[in-house]
Amino acid sequence: MDLTCTEEEEDFRQRLRAWLADALPRLPPAPSPADWPARRAYDCSWQRALYDAGYAGLHWPADAGGQGATPAQHLIFLEETELAGAPYVGANFVGLLHAGPTIAAEGTAAQRARWLLPILRGEEVWCQGFSEPEAGSDLASLRTRATRDGDAYVVTGSKIWTSHAEVADWCELLVRTDDSAPRHRGISWLALPMDAPGVTVRPLRTLAGSAEFAEVHLDEVRVPLSYRVGAENDGWRVTMVTLSFERGTAFAGEVVACRRTLTRLAVKAKENGRWDDPVLRRRLGRLSAEFTALWRLVQWNVSAAGHALRNGGSGVPGTGGSVFKLRYSQARQELYETAAEVLGPASLDAAEEWTAQRLSSLSYTIAAGTSQIQQNIIAERILGLPGGR
């Protein structure tokens, strides 16, 4: 992996910085974190600005509506937008980082034409319908049923922790299409229109007070067969593609954000006298090394996927994404535990940004597959250890 920037890549960085310096001051104030309809409008407006400027889907293949950028340009974009304080993908998270890349890799020409450009333009928002009340980490035990009826599936069941369901137009939905098949082989991946009759959304309030998740109940919802991505009963393999994107690159920008947060935390410690504690300084130094190493791992994962794509592969991130996700989720929790130590009683103020981030950090060892699941993947698929019986 060559981490040095070429003249062309450095020129790309400077052009991006100039565009951000012009575009960001013209943004309206960000809406309340609790107002998801307003956040959807804000996030989609920013996504449209990125599209108009040629920065949407930067690393997506050109035939999927993206820019076909190099891995280095993709990493420069993630780094510069975060350092500039640009809006995060927000409500567009699932579409841009999960469903869109999956459809680009696995969808038909008609599916790519239907769904990818609306995602890139910020016109349609997606949510993720994977987990169920009795199928979380053991996702293959899902029970939501899809039965063929003419040119459609009839879907009945429920999902939980469905990200952004209350403001979504589409849902990447996992359903069981063959009860007689081994449980990993009887699953299909569908695109569910959220306005279809029989879809009921009930928002869930998190520990931090926000409601970006929801329960989704499906009562004989008709989904056209043409909305299935991949072959019938091949949904588990397609899902592994989705989760590879989620674990491999979806958190990349957040690593840069954590490095910036760590710098702010060191400044706070110097202001309130906590910097004089050598144990705390060592802890901050170790976290700095952790996030630097994680950024290098992001670079490795993105570069490896790009190299595979140029050599006829799929461009789907590999199992290295599980290594990254496992360590990142733990390091993020440690970062905000350290923040509580630095800030003292102020870290308990519900109005403080630090408090919300600390509460949010607790979910990262569960989101995108629990840490225990990641450890199993690393043990079996990377280290070659025998699987459990």
Side-chain angles (χ1 to χ4, degrees):
M1 179 176 64
D2 184 2
L3 299 179
T4 59
C5 288
T6 66
E7 184 176 335
E8 179 183 6
E9 290 161 354
E10 194 57 41
D11 179 64
F12 171 80
R13 185 190 299 274
Q14 296 307 320
R15 285 187 285 110
L16 175 59
R17 281 182 180 175
W19 181 78
L20 289 168
D22 177 65
L24 292 178
R26 293 189 276 128
L27 283 177
S32 164
D35 188 348
W36 271 101
R39 289 181 66 178
R40 171 190 162 126
Y42 182 84
D43 295 339
C44 289
S45 175
W46 175 246
Q47 183 59 32
R48 181 67 200 213
L50 289 172
Y51 179 83
D52 291 341
Y55 292 116
L58 193 69
H59 61 297
W60 287 21
D63 62 2
Q67 305 299 316
T70 66
Q73 288 173 324
H74 179 204
L75 292 167
I76 289 168
F77 173 81
L78 293 173
E79 193 166 25
E80 292 298 327
T81 50
E82 181 56 48
L83 290 173
Y88 189 51
V89 290
N92 294 305
F93 183 86
V94 174
L96 286 169
L97 304 180
H98 301 177
T102 302
I103 294 167
E106 298 289 334
T108 65
Q111 290 170 341
R112 287 153 65 101
R114 168 59 188 88
W115 286 311
L116 295 184
L117 278 181
I119 291 173
L120 292 176
R121 292 180 184 138
E123 295 168 352
E124 293 181 342
V125 170
W126 285 65
C127 62
Q128 186 180 77
F130 283 11
S131 296
E132 298 183 5
E134 296 183 17
S137 295
D138 185 16
L139 185 58
S141 65
L142 66 89
R143 298 180 181 179
T144 295
R145 186 79 176 89
T147 304
R148 278 191 183 232
D149 181 24
D151 61 355
Y153 290 107
V154 178
V155 182
T156 298
S158 64
K159 297 291 179 176
I160 198 166
W161 309 123
T162 308
S163 309
H164 310 313
E166 66 272 34
V167 294
D169 303 292
W170 295 89
C171 176
E172 51 174 2
L173 183 72
L174 292 187
V175 295
R176 187 160 299 284
T177 43
D178 187 349
D179 286 326
S180 64
R183 62 182 195 153
H184 289 87
R185 297 180 184 174
I187 294 171
S188 297
W189 196 108
L190 305 182
L192 167 73
M194 291 298 287
D195 61 355
V199 177
T200 302
V201 176
R202 296 176 182 168
L204 295 169
R205 191 161 299 279
T206 69
L207 182 66
S210 60
E212 64 263 35
F213 303 113
E215 293 178 287
V216 175
H217 296 273
L218 307 162
D219 184 12
E220 296 189 351
V221 180
R222 296 187 67 86
V223 180
L225 297 180
S226 60
Y227 289 2
R228 186 190 67 235
V229 175
E232 186 172 273
N233 299 326
D234 193 32
W236 186 257
R237 184 191 61 80
V238 178
T239 302
M240 292 305 100
V241 171
T242 304
L243 293 177
S244 292
F245 284 113
E246 185 175 19
R247 296 163 185 165
T249 57
F251 294 121
E254 296 189 32
V255 175
V256 182
C258 285
R259 294 173 72 185
R260 188 173 61 176
T261 296
L262 191 61
T263 299
R264 291 172 54 209
L265 198 57
V267 171
K268 288 273 189 183
K270 292 173 183 177
E271 290 174 350
N272 66 15
R274 296 289 291 132
W275 188 254
D276 296 334
D277 182 350
V279 175
L280 177 65
R281 290 202 306 273
R282 282 197 297 272
R283 191 172 182 182
L284 291 171
R286 183 179 59 77
L287 282 169
S288 177
E290 286 267 12
F291 286 111
T292 297
L294 281 166
W295 181 245
R296 292 293 180 248
L297 185 55
V298 167
Q299 292 175 306
W300 187 88
N301 285 335
V302 172
S303 297
H307 177 77
L309 186 62
R310 290 191 300 273
N311 288 276
S314 65
V316 175
T319 49
S322 290
V323 177
F324 167 82
K325 197 274 173 181
L326 174 65
R327 189 54 215 153
Y328 169 72
S329 59
Q330 294 169 342
R332 184 183 177 91
Q333 285 191 11
E334 291 173 19
L335 172 63
Y336 285 100
E337 287 172 2
T338 304
E341 184 179 343
V342 170
L343 298 173
S347 68
L348 300 176
D349 185 346
E352 279 282 341
E353 168 203 354
W354 299 95
T355 305
Q357 290 292 344
R358 186 186 184 195
L359 293 174
S360 174
S361 75
L362 300 176
S363 69
Y364 279 72
T365 51
I366 300 173
T370 66
S371 292
Q372 291 78 12
I373 293 294
Q374 306 312 316
Q375 289 168 344
N376 285 345
I377 292 171
I378 293 166
E380 295 174 19
R381 301 185 191 174
I382 297 178
L383 300 179
L385 299 177
R389 299 299 183 193

